[in-house]
């Protein structure tokens, strides 16, 4: 396979398309290493009409497609992506989960300026680790308008034998239906602590579907679902990405148990479950040996009466599953982080010291803090280059926070537990979790909640060293 080549999505699901642009010769500066020859991809961020199946909406997207084009690379190879900004606002591309050169991280105000309207920026970087990643705008709520897409880094020495793979991108959809994500954020910021209805609308209450009326699989609503076509008996790898702004999902595939094999790109010891939760910014890979028929792939929006839905089909004649079907799998064995363990070779050294990061909510209910600080005067964690440090994430607020650290993959750990490697971890209300991080990629890195509303309401700190 060609490293960094952009291709249409594997499998028949709606969504990714619009493959790569012209070669971007001569822009290897910043990658630092001899690149293997690679074809470039052009990401044209622009106002676009996109089809969600039965509806067409006006939004911002990469090219014409939602999700944006699937970008594929090989571990150790170079990705070249030219951002062309045809939006009326500055934008960036962040390569979520990649242990990247900080100058290419797409974190505006940290190591690069956002690309202005009419401008271009050449992202050129090595992808050191195989796995399932994604890219998205890192300016305000732009990600929630549809500026996201999958980034798949193949492992030439892949130990799993499987017959085919499907990429599944989940989203909650607001833009063009009940205002833009920026309108929603403004309403939220203007709300008071007594305005409970609005808050529960926006932040996942039972009427959350009023604000995020649709939940999408690969850009398709449940009434015109994505269809993944395979054959009975095939061993299929699903690469699932949660690109939603505000929705953790509970996922199951009707008639099947699933074997979780990777968390946020990294292999874990495989665990078989009926269902699992996926927070915003998280990725899970799982293997399924498919039976004969047509099966519902359901992602229940946790805390909302809504779901994303797709169909996995292995025979032509089976009836299409009902999108509202109640799956017994959803009540079955649910994966918890404690079930997961890193592969031995991915264990990090034991940390010599620890710091606590308290996740909090101010009484107004629309300011979210890290160690009592907001993004405009952020918490700054200073660490020593080369050290491994334990960060105790202590959620003292009533909401979930999928915390994401740029430029690194940390390890969840407890007493006697070498948990999975991840870059995003969903901390439940009143829960505490340890993450161990090795400071092996110098820079000034964003460390924030991947609930985009929380991120924009202050929950953004930094993790840095030189
Ligand atoms: Cu996917 Cu800082 O984000
Ligand atoms: Cu949060």
């Amino acid at each position: 396979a060609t490293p960094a080549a952009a291709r249409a999505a594997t499998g028949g699901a709606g969504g990714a398309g619009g493959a790569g642009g012209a070669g971007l010769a001569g822009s290897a500066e910043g990658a630092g290493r001899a690149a293997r020859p690679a074809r470039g991809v052009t990401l044209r961020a622009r106002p676009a009409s996109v089809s969600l199946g039965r509806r067409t909406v006006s939004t911002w997207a990469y090219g014409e497609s939602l999700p944006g084009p699937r970008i594929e690379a090989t571990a150790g190879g170079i990705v070249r992506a030219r951002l062309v900004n045809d939006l009326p606002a500055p934008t960036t591309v962040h390569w979520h989960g990649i242990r990247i050169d900080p100058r290419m991280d797409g974190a505006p105000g940290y190591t690069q300026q956002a690309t202005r309207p009419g401008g271009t920026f050449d992202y050129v970087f090595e992808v050191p680790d195989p796995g399932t990643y994604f890219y998205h705008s890192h300016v305000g709520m732009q990600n929630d308008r549809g500026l996201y897409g999958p980034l798949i880094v193949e492992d030439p020495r892949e130990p799993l034998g499987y017959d085919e793979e499907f990429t599944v991108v989940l989203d909650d959809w607001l833009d063009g239906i009940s205002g833009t994500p920026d309108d929603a954020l403004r309403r939220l910021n203007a709300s008071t602590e007594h305005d409970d209805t609005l808050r529960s609308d926006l932040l996942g209450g039972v009427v959350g579907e009023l604000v995020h009326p649709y939940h999408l699989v690969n850009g398709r609503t449940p009434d015109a679902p994505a269809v993944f076509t395979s054959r009975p008996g095939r061993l299929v790898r699903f690469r699932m990405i949660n690109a939603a702004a505000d929705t953790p999902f509970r996922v199951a595939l009707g008639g099947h148990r699933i074997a979780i094999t990777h968390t946020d790109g990294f292999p874990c010891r495989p665990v078989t479950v009926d269902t699992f939760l996926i927070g915003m910014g998280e990725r899970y890979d799982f293997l399924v040996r498919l039976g004969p028929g047509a099966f519902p792939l359901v992602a229940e929006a946790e805390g909302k009466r809504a779901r994303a839905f797709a169909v996995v089909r292995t025979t032509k004649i089976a009836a299409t599953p009902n999108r509202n079907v109640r799956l017994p799998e959803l009540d079955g064995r649910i994966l918890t982080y404690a079930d997961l363990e890193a592969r031995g070779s991915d264990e990090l050294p034991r940390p010599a010291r620890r710091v606590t990061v308290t996740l909090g909510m101010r009484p107004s209910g629309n300011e979210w803090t890290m160690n009592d600080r907001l993004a405009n005067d952020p918490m700054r964690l200073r660490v020593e280059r080369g050290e491994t440090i334990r960060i105790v994430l202590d959620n003292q607020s009533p909401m979930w926070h999928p915390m994401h650290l740029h430029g690194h993959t940390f390890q969840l750990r407890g007493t006697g537990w070498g948990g999975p490697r991840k870059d995003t971890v969903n901390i439940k209300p009143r829960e505490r979790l340890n993450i161990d991080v090795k400071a092996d990629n110098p820079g000034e890195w964003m460390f924030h909640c991947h609930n985009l509303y929380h991120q924009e309401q202050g929950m953004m700190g930094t993790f840095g060293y030189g």
Side-chain angles (χ1 to χ4, degrees):
T2 318
R7 293 175 215 151
T10 306
L24 306 174
S27 53
E29 193 200 345
R33 249 162 271 201
R36 284 196 262 164
R39 210 150 50 86
V41 58
T42 296
L43 295 175
R44 189 173 288 274
R46 56 194 291 264
S49 280
V50 297
S51 166
L52 305 182
R54 298 243 166 102
R55 290 165 197 79
T56 298
V57 293
S58 296
T59 190
W60 293 359
Y62 292 119
E64 301 285 327
S65 69
L66 180 79
R70 172 179 158 125
I71 299 178
E72 292 180 354
T74 304
I78 304 290
V79 169
R80 297 161 193 281
R82 169 166 287 182
L83 168 67
V84 179
N85 185 4
D86 287 343
L87 299 171
T91 193
T92 65
V93 183
H94 169 57
W95 309 91
H96 179 115
I98 300 290
R99 193 150 53 89
I100 202 170
D101 177 334
R103 292 169 295 178
M104 297 288 145
D105 194 44
Y110 280 61
T111 50
Q112 69 173 117
Q113 296 305 310
T115 301
R116 62 188 198 296
T120 64
F121 187 87
D122 288 335
Y123 290 90
V124 181
F125 53 92
E126 184 184 353
V127 282
D129 305 305
T132 301
Y133 302 92
F134 71 123
Y135 59 89
H136 61 77
S137 164
H138 217 304
V139 174
M141 301 297 295
Q142 289 180 2
N143 178 4
D144 203 30
R145 290 184 186 243
L147 291 168
Y148 63 80
L151 168 59
I152 306 303
V153 183
E154 283 159 10
D155 185 349
R157 301 165 317 244
E158 181 62 68
L160 298 169
Y162 53 89
D163 301 317
E164 69 187 311
E165 65 175 59
F166 297 118
T167 301
V168 183
V169 188
L170 305 175
D171 190 12
D172 49 12
W173 191 258
L174 178 154
D175 200 37
I177 293 176
S178 49
T180 67
D182 300 274
D183 298 333
L185 183 64
R186 268 192 294 279
R187 285 170 60 204
L188 191 64
N189 282 331
S191 71
T192 69
E193 68 188 298
H194 305 294
D195 196 353
D196 287 338
T197 318
L198 176 63
R199 183 158 307 115
S200 61
D201 269 11
L202 285 164
L203 297 179
V206 289
V207 288
E209 62 268 34
L210 295 179
V211 167
H212 287 112
Y214 300 118
H215 293 81
L216 310 178
V217 173
N218 291 356
R220 312 277 297 201
T221 54
D223 57 2
V227 178
F228 300 96
T229 307
S230 183
R231 297 232 181 86
R234 281 206 171 163
L235 186 62
V236 175
R237 177 184 192 163
F238 288 86
R239 299 176 178 268
M240 187 170 277
I241 300 163
N242 185 355
D246 180 45
T247 309
F249 292 92
R250 181 189 294 251
V251 177
L253 175 61
H256 294 81
R257 304 194 82 206
I258 59 195
I260 304 283
T261 58
H262 295 72
T263 53
D264 298 351
F266 270 69
C268 57
R269 303 237 175 90
V271 180
T272 300
V273 294
D274 298 295
T275 178
F276 65 94
L277 281 169
I278 181 168
M280 299 79 91
E282 288 191 295
R283 288 91 62 212
Y284 284 93
D285 290 22
F286 56 91
L287 287 176
V288 184
R289 174 85 59 194
L290 292 175
F295 308 99
L297 177 62
V298 169
E300 293 273 357
E302 192 75 1
K304 306 176 186 182
R305 276 196 235 107
R307 54 169 55 174
F309 174 81
V311 175
V312 178
R313 172 180 286 285
T314 61
T315 50
K316 283 214 179 75
I317 39 169
T320 296
N322 177 340
R323 65 181 190 260
N324 297 313
V325 63
R326 178 75 216 162
L327 290 186
E329 286 81 3
L330 289 169
D331 300 319
R333 175 153 184 248
I334 183 162
L335 180 81
T336 68
Y337 288 142
D339 294 324
L340 295 166
E341 287 177 29
R343 253 189 346 193
S345 55
D346 292 329
E347 290 273 345
L348 290 179
R350 290 281 155 188
R353 61 184 189 110
R354 68 167 67 194
V355 293
T356 297
V357 174
T358 301
L359 309 174
M361 181 184 78
R362 296 248 171 108
S364 68
N366 50 29
E367 288 174 311
W368 301 89
T369 57
M370 298 172 73
N371 285 349
D372 231 12
R373 288 172 177 275
L374 297 167
N376 55 9
D377 178 21
M379 174 204 79
R380 293 178 192 278
L381 291 183
R382 308 306 311 177
V383 301
E384 295 295 322
R385 182 172 185 166
E387 79 170 322
T388 303
I389 186 165
R390 170 157 300 175
I391 302 173
V392 181
L393 292 167
D394 183 8
N395 185 356
Q396 297 187 0
S397 82
M399 297 287 295
W400 295 20
H401 302 295
M403 299 304 297
H404 173 54
L405 176 62
H406 286 212
H408 297 76
T409 300
F410 47 73
Q411 185 177 13
L412 270 54
R413 266 216 187 118
T415 315
W417 175 50
R421 294 287 296 264
K422 293 181 85 358
D423 52 65
T424 309
V425 61
N426 200 7
I427 322 282
K428 293 180 185 160
R430 314 293 165 197
E431 189 182 57
R432 228 175 210 273
L433 272 176
N434 302 329
I435 60 172
D436 292 353
V437 191
K438 188 162 195 309
D440 59 1
N441 190 13
E444 184 75 14
W445 299 100
M446 286 178 161
F447 184 24
H448 66 92
C449 181
H450 224 278
N451 180 312
L452 295 190
Y453 295 95
H454 296 181
Q455 173 193 292
E456 292 303 295
Q457 294 184 311
M459 211 164 212
M460 167 72 75
T462 76
F463 178 86
Y465 51 103

